[in-house]
Structure formats: C-alpha cells, structure tokens
Amino acid sequence: MRRLLLWMAGNGWLRRNLPRLWFTRRAVRRFMPGETAEEAIAAAEKFRQQGTPVLFTLLGENLTRIEDADAHAQEYLEVIAEINERGLDAEISVKPTQLGYDLDQTRTLGHLERLADAAAPRTVWIDMESSAYTEGTVALYEALKRSRPNSGLCLQSYLKRTHSDIERLLPLAPRIRMVKGAYAEPAEICYRSRREVDANYLALCVWMLDQLRNGHELFLGLGTHDVDLVRQVADYARSAGFEGIPFDVEMLYGIRADQQQRLKEEGFPVRVLIAYGRAWYPWYMRRLAERPANVIFAIRQLLPPW
Ligand code: FDA
C-alpha cells in the first residue's frame, strides 16, 4: 500500500486529475487548514492563543517554469512580512525544487538568501526531498549556512548517509530537523524496516546530543509524530545530564493533535507545521502513505455525513 501510494504521488496524470475530485479536496482538509496564506495565518493565530509556535510551508515541488520559482519566493516573502508584522512565533520551511532547483541552482540559493534575510533571526528551513536531491541539498545548505546562520536543514534517518552528512555539517553549527523520510527509495541506500529506521533515528539524535554536550553548536528539532521515540531521546538527554529538553518537537497540523497537546503540557517545546497552497496532491499522498489507515478516512468522505 505504501509503495502504491508513493507511486501515485509521483504520477503526472493523477497529479492533474485527482485533486479536481471534491472528495479528495474534502479529505485533504484534515491535514491543512486551507489553500491560501490567509487560512494558514488564521490557523497560526489559533495556535498562538494556545502558546504553540508554528512553521509554514507552501506546497508545490518540481517546477517546470522558473517564473513559478520566483512567484513562490515572492509568496514566502509576503508570508514572512505578515509574520513580522503580527509578531508571530513562526518559521518557514521550503523545498529546493519549489524554488527552481531543477532549473537554476544559483537562483535557488539567491531566493533562499533573500528569505533568510527577511526572516532573520527566525530560522528558514530547507526540506529534504527524494534521494536524487540529497547531495545537492546538503551542498546548498552548506553554501547558505556560511552566510545565513539562521538557516536549517531537514535530514532523513532512513538514509544510510545521514550520519556522515551531519559530521560534514557540524563545523557550520547546523540547525537540523531529523525526520524518518517520506519517499520511496532504493534498498541500497536506505533502511527499509521500521525497526532500522527508528533505531537509526535514535542513534543519530543521541549522537547529536553528545556533540552538543561536547561543546559543538547545533540545534536539533525532532520532526516526528513518534512519541515513544521522542521520549527515548528525552530519556537519553536526561541521563546525559542535560537540564530541560535540549530539542524541539515538530509535528504536522492535524496529526496526533492530542499528543502535541500532551507533550506541551509535559514541557516539551512543540511546533506545528502548517502546510497550505493549491499544489497539495503529492504531499497529501505521502501523508496517506505514512499511515494507510488514512485512506479509509479519505474514502469515507465519499459517504454522506452521519
Ligand atoms: P511513524 O510513521 O512511525 O508514525 C508515528 C506515529 O504517528 C504512528 O502512530 C502513526 O500512526 C502516526 N502517524 C504518522 N504519520 C501519520 C499520518 N500521516 N497520519 C496519521 N497518523 C500518522 N519527510 C521528508 O522526507 N522530508 C522533509 O523535509 C520532511 N519534513 C517534515 C517536517 C515535519 C515537521 C514532520 C513532522 C515530518 C516531515 N517529514 C519530512 C515526514 C517524515 O519523514 C515522516 O514521513 C512522517 O513524519 C511520518 O513518520 P513519523 O516520524 O511521524 O513516524
């Protein structure tokens, strides 16, 4: 099921046609407050009332026209201006391919620099896409981080290379969001079983906390809904003598909201990622692939409410 859904995420015909169906539009609302920046900001204001900071991401990836990259950068700049004006505790998270990485990498870096300047001192995050982009994205982050300290990078624990990527970035005082990974990848380069992906996640976080304790400057965000894993990392931090919780927890809007609240009540710094935009299809299919039971929820939208 996971493989099928990830294949559907990349299929051009489905990408053009499925989002037109009313029931898919209704189902996706579970994971995003709406398609517009205004709806995303309104959701952030509600989170502000609960004292929860947010991350915004505009959906869209693998552009074919460079003007679309410029338009995306402009839209992010407008969101950053709104964040600044309202004084929201909000960051943005951007995919390189939505800023034209497939077409003009120098321009992508230029866009990222402008976004980081506008957002400073808030962090601008670079999402990690499929493994075809890993090396390029790590290099892009190296270039950005040298001149824009308020930038961060997402790394994936299902990739075998991630430990060496962190080692490579360590001298730059990186800000890292650790996730498990959401794409279909070849077996040679990634861990396939859930057990291995989770074990690597924990090992990478433990190793980063050790680096932090040894005086390296780095920021760690756990981008996961796996509360057991979050607790294991917290247990390690405690046993290693950290005072408080030396990492953030980041979860997606609409997923495990009860756990988000619970962790907050226990003192974990929790941030919620709010996605918005019209190009939600591949992103939504990856959310279904993460938990195939979500497909049943989507199908239920076909039925009349009861
Ligand atoms: P796991 O899949 O083990 O789930 C843990 C628990 O959460 C389970 O109980 C599960 O049922 C529940 N859960 C997980 N996903 C769910 C869903 N969609 N619906 C309902 N319940 C769900 N990936 C990537 O490759 N590049 C990136 O840049 C990012 N960025 C990113 C940012 C943030 C803030 C988050 C939270 C996640 C990402 N991801 C990502 C996605 C990530 O790689 C991963 O696919 C998902 O987080 C699902 O894995 P979990 O870590 O939640 O664990």
Side-chain angles (χ1 to χ4, degrees):
M1 180 68 103
R2 178 174 184 272
R3 293 255 193 112
L4 173 67
L5 289 164
L6 289 177
W7 173 83
M8 288 171 74
N11 183 280
W13 188 87
L14 290 172
R15 185 186 287 218
R16 280 188 301 282
N17 292 291
L18 260 188
R20 293 189 189 149
L21 302 176
W22 63 268
F23 74 91
T24 14
R25 301 178 79 85
R26 204 160 98 179
V28 75
R29 291 303 288 256
R30 180 180 176 191
F31 297 119
M32 52 190 279
E35 294 187 352
T36 65
E38 289 73 28
E39 287 166 302
I41 286 166
E45 286 289 5
K46 285 196 189 141
F47 281 111
R48 168 149 68 176
Q49 284 163 19
Q50 305 159 17
T52 306
V54 299
L55 275 155
F56 290 115
T57 198
L58 169 64
L59 298 175
E61 51 202 80
N62 296 111
L63 304 176
T64 51
R65 295 174 345 131
I66 198 69
E67 307 86 75
D68 291 340
D70 300 346
H72 280 155
Q74 184 55 36
E75 171 139 14
Y76 274 122
L77 285 171
E78 285 164 20
V79 168
I80 291 168
E82 193 69 29
I83 292 171
N84 290 340
E85 198 172 311
R86 290 169 182 257
L88 278 173
D89 187 348
E91 300 171 342
I92 60 161
S93 201
V94 181
K95 287 191 182 3
T97 67
Q98 80 178 153
L99 294 181
Y101 186 85
D102 290 323
L103 306 169
D104 182 345
Q105 295 169 13
T106 311
R107 203 167 176 126
T108 305
L109 178 59
H111 282 321
L112 283 166
E113 288 170 346
R114 270 187 293 284
L115 296 182
D117 288 342
R122 298 178 176 90
T123 306
V124 167
W125 290 94
I126 304 180
D127 287 346
M128 188 56 81
E129 300 177 76
S130 72
S131 61
Y133 297 101
T134 311
E135 178 54 36
T137 305
V138 173
L140 186 67
Y141 179 59
E142 283 180 312
L144 181 69
K145 185 74 171 78
R146 285 203 179 92
S147 60
R148 306 301 191 279
N150 62 317
S151 55
L153 177 68
C154 181
L155 291 172
Q156 301 150 325
S157 74
Y158 67 6
L159 289 187
K160 293 178 182 169
R161 60 175 284 164
T162 296
H163 188 278
S164 60
D165 285 334
I166 303 171
E167 271 184 322
R168 169 176 162 186
L169 294 172
L170 214 48
L172 294 174
R175 299 185 187 185
I176 292 174
R177 174 201 303 146
M178 185 55 58
V179 301
K180 292 188 187 179
Y183 297 81
E185 299 294 358
E188 313 83 76
I189 61 162
C190 78
Y191 299 108
R192 275 279 169 85
S193 75
R194 193 193 161 113
R195 194 180 49 78
E196 285 176 311
V197 175
D198 290 0
N200 196 39
Y201 193 108
L202 181 60
L204 291 169
C205 291
V206 160
W207 185 75
M208 278 188 276
L209 290 180
D210 286 344
Q211 303 311 307
L212 194 59
R213 200 182 37 181
N214 293 339
H216 279 285
E217 195 186 326
L218 74 88
F219 172 90
L220 175 60
L222 308 192
T224 182
H225 313 99
D226 191 335
V227 175
D228 290 345
L229 207 39
V230 170
R231 289 191 195 289
Q232 286 174 54
V233 180
D235 287 347
Y236 178 77
R238 210 168 299 119
S239 71
F242 282 96
E243 273 177 33
I245 297 164
F247 54 82
D248 268 11
V249 181
E250 298 163 4
M251 295 194 184
L252 303 183
Y253 173 95
I255 298 182
R256 306 201 90 183
D258 55 336
Q259 296 290 345
Q260 294 174 14
Q261 191 52 35
R262 204 156 145 198
L263 286 175
K264 262 188 62 188
E265 284 161 14
E266 289 174 30
F268 285 83
V270 176
R271 193 175 277 275
V272 172
L273 186 145
I274 300 174
Y276 72 98
R278 290 174 56 215
W280 43 259
Y281 172 75
W283 179 87
Y284 174 56
M285 295 310 283
R286 290 196 292 275
R287 302 293 77 79
L288 294 187
E290 282 158 7
R291 190 164 180 263
N294 288 337
V295 176
I296 295 167
F297 175 85
I299 291 169
R300 271 216 224 118
Q301 306 307 305
L302 276 168
L303 305 173
W306 61 79

